[in-house]
Amino acid sequence: MTPPAGTASLAPAWFIAGTDTGIGKTFSTCALLQAARNQGLRALGMKPVAAGAERVDGVLLNEDVAALRAAGSFDPGLERLNPCCFAAPIAPHIAAAEEGRRVEPAPVVDALAALRRQADVVFVEGVGGFKVPLAEDYDSADLAVELALPVILVVGLRLGCLSHALLTVEAITHRGLTLAGWIGNCVDAEMLRREQNVEALRQRIAAPLLGLLQWTPGGSPADQATALTLPR
């Protein structure tokens, strides 16, 4: 693994985007964290923006953030793992407006820089799909550009995934971002012609396939880590 240009003093990091919500970005990110830890690396995962949380010990804790914290090599603190957290499980820009707040990139940029100074590798999980609104004039694609990280795309393998994946790849490259690789996450165990769909994506996505995950409700991402190749 090599760090992006201009960040030699910081650990390499990647932005984890998804073709939609509910397609296993957190599961995939946790599997990547375990894959890195299996190689002896200090690995951390962060989720800059999360919506849907319960108050635990006086602070809001999102379920995905809790999973990332548990999967990481150590706990650097919630304020760095999840700089922007909202209580309601709704679109972030709506949740922010209801709380009289606004998602700002500066705290996210600062938190990521701190994590990259502490770890050997950092995986940054996006929220929802690639272009989820975070404010009236700002979305998750803007945040990805702000962070200037190469992108790993998680494709939820189910009916309709071909168009979703290819449109997201187009959006990523249109923003001038590098697609470092993609992960196929088998969210539909009964998907017909899954292998043919994966091959169609392999033929049309220039970035490498990093692995296929056999996701099941209640399954452990750590058990899937060996199915992944870390990006370079």
Side-chain angles (χ1 to χ4, degrees), residues 36-54:
R37 295 181 67 182
N38 288 347
Q39 294 189 14
L41 299 172
R42 294 174 302 162
L44 292 175
M46 74 175 294
K47 191 175 181 74
V49 181
E54 295 185 0

Side-chain angles (χ1 to χ4, degrees), residues 1-28:
M1 296 182 297
T2 56
T7 60
S9 62
L10 299 176
W14 286 267
F15 186 89
I16 313 301
T19 51
D20 200 352
T21 190
I23 49 81
K25 288 191 307 302
T26 302
F27 188 91
S28 300

